Amino acid sequence: MKKFNALFRSGFLLIYFMVVSCSLSAFAANEFNIIPYPQLLIPQQGTFTINSKTVVFCSFQQPEVLKLARQFSTQMALVSGIKLSVRDISGADSTNAIILRKTSTSENVETYRMQVSPKTIHIQALAGNGFFYALQTLYQLLPPEIYGKKLSAHQKWIVPCVSITDNPRFSYRGLHLDVCRHFFPIAFIKKYIDAIAIHKLNKFHWHLTDDQGWRIEIKKYPRLIEIGSKRDETLIGNNDANFPRKFDGKPYGGFYTQQEAKEIVAYAKERYITVIPEIEMPGHAQAAIAAYPYLSCRKDSTFKVVTQLGIFPEVYCPREGTFTFLENVLSEIMEIFPSKYIHIGGDECPKDRWKTCPDCQALIKSKNLKGENGLQSYFVEQIENFLNSKGRMIIGWDEILDGGLATNATVMTWRGINGGIAAAKSGHDVIMTPGTHCYFDHYQADPVSEPMTIGGFTPLSKVYQFEPVPNELNEEQAKHVLGAQANVWAEYIETPQRVEYMAFPRVAAMSEVLWGTKHGRNWDLFRNRMLTQFKRYDQLNINASKAFFDVQFHSSITANKQLLISLVSDYPNVQIHYNTNGKVPTLKDALYKEPIIIDHSLTVTALTFINGAPICKQLSKPFMISKLTGMSFTKNVNNSWYDGGNVNALTDGITGNTKSTNQWMGIAKSMNGEIVVDMQTAKEINRFSVGMLNVPAKCAIISPVVKLFGSVDGINYQLLAEKQIPPLTSPNWKILRPELIFKPVTVRYIKLQLKSSTECLADRENGNLLFMDEIGAW
């Protein structure tokens, strides 16, 4: 019933459902596997078959359209052996023809209309953009083999008859790539742009400079490449993986010449994609400062390109020489990139150096600025004024709001949506890219089963749920939301294959968010269409994540404090088999039909099957059940409390892991911890355990002592057990689960006390952390 109701959310889906249900087409609903889905699609009766006699007609007076027609003909010849003739539209025939005809009825250059009948495919658009997107749709109406690189054994090239009217909801539809933390070759950048194009995205945000490397040639400043593009070595694992931190000892570098960058701009332009370069300032500047130390506020000539990850204090000093340098750099950047926008970063700029810099403090005083935040705004305004004078506009991360927003700046909001709301309400254009939904360097499946990432959790379904226009904006303010963008930060992405794994298929979900209507999205229909999309990825040799096919474990607490476990998969219509013996599930194991109730600790192992064959990797999930499961608890601190987004993590039946801190709860600032649990009624217990996470690089050190108290009234407590814990010597993440055994006692309340350790060698200004997870009593 849910699926039936969802189909009626928009008029075109109602029409779509009625036509398909009446069997007017030989093609079922899921045969129109177009991503992003068109604004209006009405199936028609019959099919059009492309054969050796099919002719492509277009105006030879429109070079862009003629080029697109020839590209389509070339691709058809490559995969099918059919050589389509391309002829001028003046001699167009309405039989066995693909006709590309210019229309003057549309004001949007990205709009197109397509009418497929048994005799003709008729495409209308105002400009090359529209024809390009129409052809992307036509490719997706054909078998996935159309995306291949060699002759296919596929015999028939059939297009279902259909009427489509289509245009994007947002003008800015972006995908980002960080090439500073890890460098990627030109051939891959082109492949990445091809992938952007087939998803009908139109902006490529190229993050070219950062602390870990300067990646674009600037002829006036050759040391940016000679020194700034190279680092001595690279951190192994993530920032907190080991202490002391480990490095690979291998020099690392790479850069793009201006000619290569121009080549990318031209390549993208042919696919109706604008390349937006990002030159970070005033923070994330240490690679530039290593090349030209005078750009810093400190008199030091020993700066080096950063070899680890994080935020660093060396930032551009707001002096005349620095602004001259940046203007010269941006002048060369503008010669390479003709984009309306230049992204200037503006994020994560520590003010430490400015606070101790006499020149900076004098500037704050002379300009009557509001402290160091005001100085950052002044910095941004100087750059904006320069770029505006050259006919360009700036984009900056939402930190450019701090201290006051530059006059014509466009805000790219990443720290949630509040920055975008504030900017739009003040009349500034906004590009939404909140980390919650748009950061594709986050985990996309259970962290235990995934390669290492920076953290977070952004599965495909969550991306699909993203709505770029916040409810807090009225209709007029909402016009300032230009669109949104997905970001691929490369701290932990070392190869092109890993970029693809992290970006796809989540880009497919983002493309549909940005192209279609707000109320036209339907997750069930989308995931059905994704089955064909994965076949396209295979043809394109895109190493897309297969988490779509994996089992997902969802748990909740029942009224009687048991665990209700649901096993689901994004892949529709699968069979899930599971067991609790730790072996690889087979068809002989239990078939999942309904949520499983668990009343004792165990590990569930599951696998998805289709037509009797496994289609994903096996996944296991341990669950811990005790007399504390589902119970509420109180804690002795609030302001210094960390819960990873799960406020019930201590008693939810799920244990933490060493891949992510999302499931862990913690206390910061070297504070001791005290947790009180009300079991609702008096219960007999004689055993207790608590999980603790030791991360030396974070100064997250296990408690040297664990104390457990019990009470019948919540006022008078008695010590039940105490255990001394020797410090761990492991340099990396380690879980310890001490168990306390004591004489049976009947209590209603238990109190856990943990002590913050002083044993940490890592430099952490905010003191030690205490990480804990699932507590249990039996």
Side-chain angles (χ1 to χ4, degrees):
M1 191 63 186
K2 289 181 180 178
K3 185 180 292 185
F4 183 79
N5 289 336
L7 284 168
F8 282 78
R9 291 177 184 170
S10 61
F12 78 86
L13 282 175
L14 173 58
I15 295 170
Y16 174 81
F17 182 81
M18 291 173 64
V19 172
V20 173
S21 64
C22 293
S23 300
L24 294 179
S25 170
F27 287 79
N30 63 3
E31 289 298 326
F32 294 98
N33 295 312
I34 304 167
I35 294 176
Y37 201 76
Q39 298 279 5
L40 177 62
L41 182 152
I42 305 175
Q44 306 290 314
Q45 188 174 18
T47 60
F48 177 90
T49 301
I50 297 177
N51 55 43
S52 59
K53 295 182 180 180
T54 303
V55 178
V56 180
F57 291 101
C58 68
S59 172
F60 283 18
Q61 304 304 311
Q62 294 177 275
E64 284 184 74
V65 182
L66 176 60
K67 187 173 185 178
L68 292 172
R70 287 173 173 168
Q71 287 173 348
F72 179 78
S73 176
T74 299
Q75 183 63 19
M76 278 300 306
L78 174 65
V79 298
S80 70
I82 299 171
K83 298 180 180 180
L84 301 179
S85 175
V86 178
R87 301 177 188 172
D88 187 74
I89 199 167
S90 59
D93 192 346
S94 59
T95 301
N96 201 6
I98 301 172
I99 302 172
L100 282 65
R101 189 185 302 276
K102 184 177 180 180
T103 180
S104 58
T105 59
S106 173
E107 295 180 359
N108 187 339
V109 295
E110 295 185 309
T111 296
Y112 69 90
R113 292 176 177 81
M114 180 186 297
Q115 188 74 36
V116 181
S117 71
K119 292 184 177 181
T120 311
I121 297 177
H122 197 176
I123 295 171
Q124 291 181 299
L126 176 64
N129 313 54
F131 286 108
F132 181 80
Y133 295 135
L135 289 172
Q136 300 312 305
T137 296
L138 180 55
Y139 280 125
Q140 293 195 4
L141 290 171
L142 285 161
E145 288 81 3
I146 187 65
Y147 289 98
K149 304 298 181 184
K150 60 182 180 181
L151 189 66
S152 169
H154 196 88
Q155 297 299 313
K156 293 185 178 181
W157 300 90
I158 297 174
V159 180
C161 290
V162 66
S163 176
I164 294 174
T165 301
D166 203 12
N167 62 274
R169 178 184 177 194
F170 293 104
S171 62
Y172 189 108
R173 308 181 302 279
L175 186 61
H176 155 288
L177 182 62
D178 165 19
V179 296
C180 302
R181 280 56 178 257
H182 287 97
F183 178 79
F184 306 106
I186 284 292
F188 174 70
I189 302 299
K190 290 182 177 180
K191 183 181 180 184
Y192 197 67
I193 288 171
D194 285 337
I196 292 174
I198 69 168
H199 291 88
K200 298 188 176 81
L201 302 178
N202 65 352
K203 301 291 188 293
F204 171 44
H205 175 172
W206 205 0
H207 184 79
L208 290 166
T209 72
D210 216 300
D211 296 304
Q212 293 81 9
W214 183 286
R215 303 296 180 210
I216 182 70
E217 176 190 25
I218 301 297
K219 293 180 179 179
K220 190 174 184 66
Y221 300 105
R223 288 167 62 88
L224 289 172
I225 293 308
E226 295 166 3
I227 295 174
S229 71
K230 305 167 186 175
R231 58 179 182 255
D232 293 340
E233 56 189 357
T234 302
L235 181 74
I236 295 175
N238 65 38
N239 251 6
D240 304 319
N242 299 282
F243 186 81
R245 293 185 172 96
K246 295 181 179 180
F247 297 83
D248 61 11
K250 301 175 182 178
Y252 187 94
F255 69 94
Y256 307 102
T257 66
Q258 291 195 6
Q259 184 56 43
E260 287 174 325
K262 289 177 180 178
E263 185 180 330
I264 290 298
V265 169
Y267 190 85
K269 183 179 180 181
E270 289 183 349
R271 289 148 182 81
Y272 298 90
I273 294 166
T274 300
V275 182
I276 298 175
E278 181 179 0
I279 307 299
E280 275 272 20
M281 62 185 80
H284 289 286
Q286 191 159 324
I289 291 171
Y292 295 96
Y294 74 85
L295 299 171
S296 170
C297 290
R298 290 199 302 156
K299 294 181 179 180
D300 192 336
S301 59
T302 62
F303 298 116
K304 288 191 173 184
V305 178
V306 174
T307 58
Q308 60 189 57
L309 308 171
I311 301 171
F312 302 93
E314 300 309 327
V315 301
Y316 288 122
C317 201
R319 297 191 184 108
E320 184 177 345
T322 302
F323 288 121
T324 299
F325 167 84
L326 290 171
E327 288 176 4
N328 289 336
V329 166
L330 292 171
S331 292
E332 292 195 32
I333 290 294
M334 286 185 284
E335 290 178 4
I336 303 168
F337 301 95
S339 56
K340 171 184 176 182
Y341 293 110
I342 304 292
H343 202 303
I344 64 165
D347 61 313
E348 298 177 330
C349 178
K351 311 299 193 298
D352 308 63
R353 299 293 182 249
W354 292 356
K355 289 177 181 178
T356 58
C357 166
D359 291 341
C360 298
Q361 294 304 310
L363 187 58
I364 290 173
K365 186 176 181 179
S366 67
K367 298 292 182 181
N368 195 27
L369 304 175
K370 295 179 181 179
E372 285 74 28
N373 281 342
L375 183 55
Q376 177 162 341
S377 289
Y378 172 82
F379 193 113
V380 170
E381 285 176 5
Q382 303 313 299
I383 299 301
E384 183 191 35
N385 291 339
F386 172 73
L387 289 172
N388 287 171
S389 73
K390 305 298 181 181
R392 307 298 184 92
M393 297 181 68
I394 69 166
I395 298 176
W397 301 107
D398 57 57
E399 284 93 332
I400 67 172
L401 288 164
D402 300 343
L405 187 57
T407 307
N408 299 310
T410 295
V411 175
M412 186 170 277
T413 182
W414 70 280
R415 297 177 300 177
I417 62 174
N418 289 337
I421 293 170
K425 285 186 174 181
S426 65
H428 287 269
D429 287 342
V430 174
I431 298 159
M432 304 299 288
T433 179
T436 52
H437 293 78
C438 301
Y439 270 47
F440 289 2
D441 55 336
H442 289 179
Y443 285 109
Q444 55 193 314
D446 189 334
V448 174
S449 66
E450 287 290 291
M452 181 185 65
T453 76
I454 199 169
F457 184 62
T458 309
L460 183 70
S461 58
K462 187 175 182 180
V463 177
Y464 196 76
Q465 293 163 6
F466 175 53
E467 170 48 44
V469 180
N471 292 330
E472 291 84 348
L473 300 180
N474 61 36
E475 185 177 352
E476 194 61 31
Q477 293 164 346
K479 293 177 182 178
H480 288 290
V481 180
L482 303 181
Q485 175 177 288
N487 297 326
V488 182
W489 297 102
E491 285 94 335
Y492 306 109
I493 301 177
E494 300 176 352
T495 66
Q497 292 74 27
R498 284 277 286 125
V499 172
E500 294 172 357
Y501 183 90
M502 298 304 289
F504 304 96
R506 289 185 283 190
V507 168
M510 182 60 71
S511 75
E512 193 142 306
V513 167
L514 297 177
W515 186 274
T517 63
K518 177 179 180 179
H519 301 293
R521 276 181 269 155
N522 182 293
W523 167 249
D524 286 332
L525 296 179
F526 172 77
R527 68 191 189 123
N528 274 301
R529 285 181 275 120
M530 279 304 302
L531 304 183
T532 301
Q533 189 76 350
F534 276 103
K535 294 178 182 178
R536 296 181 187 124
Y537 290 152
D538 289 342
Q539 291 292 326
L540 292 162
N541 195 30
I542 290 175
N543 181 41
S545 165
K546 300 303 191 293
F548 178 84
F549 303 93
D550 289 345
V551 175
Q552 300 168 26
F553 296 84
H554 299 297
S555 63
S556 59
I557 307 292
T558 67
N560 58 352
K561 306 305 180 184
Q562 295 176 321
L563 271 185
L564 191 68
I565 309 299
S566 298
L567 307 179
V568 300
S569 172
D570 289 344
Y571 192 117
N573 304 318
V574 296
Q575 290 185 326
I576 300 175
H577 288 267
Y578 69 95
N579 61 46
T580 58
N581 60 20
K583 296 181 180 180
V584 177
T586 69
L587 294 175
K588 294 181 180 180
D589 285 305
L591 173 64
Y592 176 79
K593 295 181 179 178
E594 59 185 6
I596 310 160
I597 295 179
I598 294 177
D599 60 5
H600 63 283
S601 299
L602 52 75
T603 296
V604 178
T605 301
L607 192 58
T608 53
F609 292 80
I610 194 80
N611 297 326
I615 58 169
C616 72
K617 57 181 178 288
Q618 111 186 26
L619 292 175
S620 297
K621 191 81 170 179
F623 298 97
M624 182 175 137
I625 312 297
S626 82
K627 293 178 180 179
L628 304 184
T629 302
M631 297 297 177
S632 59
F633 55 87
T634 60
K635 51 191 184 295
N636 65 318
V637 295
N638 289 309
N639 293 338
S640 300
W641 182 259
Y642 166 84
D643 62 26
N646 181 0
V647 297
N648 300 309
L650 284 183
T651 59
D652 66 353
I654 303 172
T655 56
N657 58 71
T658 57
K659 295 289 287 291
S660 169
T661 59
N662 288 357
Q663 183 62 30
W664 293 93
M665 290 190 157
I667 300 174
K669 299 181 180 179
S670 298
M671 298 182 67
N672 297 331
E674 183 174 282
I675 305 295
V676 176
V677 183
D678 179 0
M679 295 190 289
Q680 303 300 312
T681 60
K683 298 176 182 179
E684 183 179 88
I685 59 173
N686 72 334
R687 183 163 59 95
F688 175 86
S689 75
V690 56
M692 293 188 289
L693 179 64
N694 201 69
V695 186
K698 277 184 178 288
C699 276
I701 308 299
I702 62 169
S703 173
V705 61
V706 177
K707 292 183 179 182
L708 185 70
F709 299 83
S711 171
V712 294
D713 59 8
I715 300 173
N716 302 297
Y717 284 87
Q718 61 174 317
L719 180 65
L720 302 181
E722 177 178 349
K723 192 166 192 175
Q724 303 295 319
I725 311 294
L728 297 181
T729 57
S730 172
N732 47 31
W733 291 36
K734 192 78 173 178
I735 296 175
L736 188 69
R737 182 168 289 282
E739 193 168 76
L740 283 66
I741 308 293
F742 43 92
K743 291 181 179 181
V745 60
T746 300
V747 295
R748 173 173 171 173
Y749 301 89
I750 63 170
K751 180 191 292 182
L752 168 67
Q753 288 184 350
L754 300 176
K755 184 179 180 181
S756 181
S757 172
T758 58
E759 300 286 333
C760 186
L761 300 178
D763 180 18
R764 183 177 173 84
E765 294 181 359
N766 294 324
N768 283 12
L769 295 168
L770 267 175
F771 274 135
M772 68 193 87
D773 188 33
E774 206 63 20
I775 56 176
W778 299 265

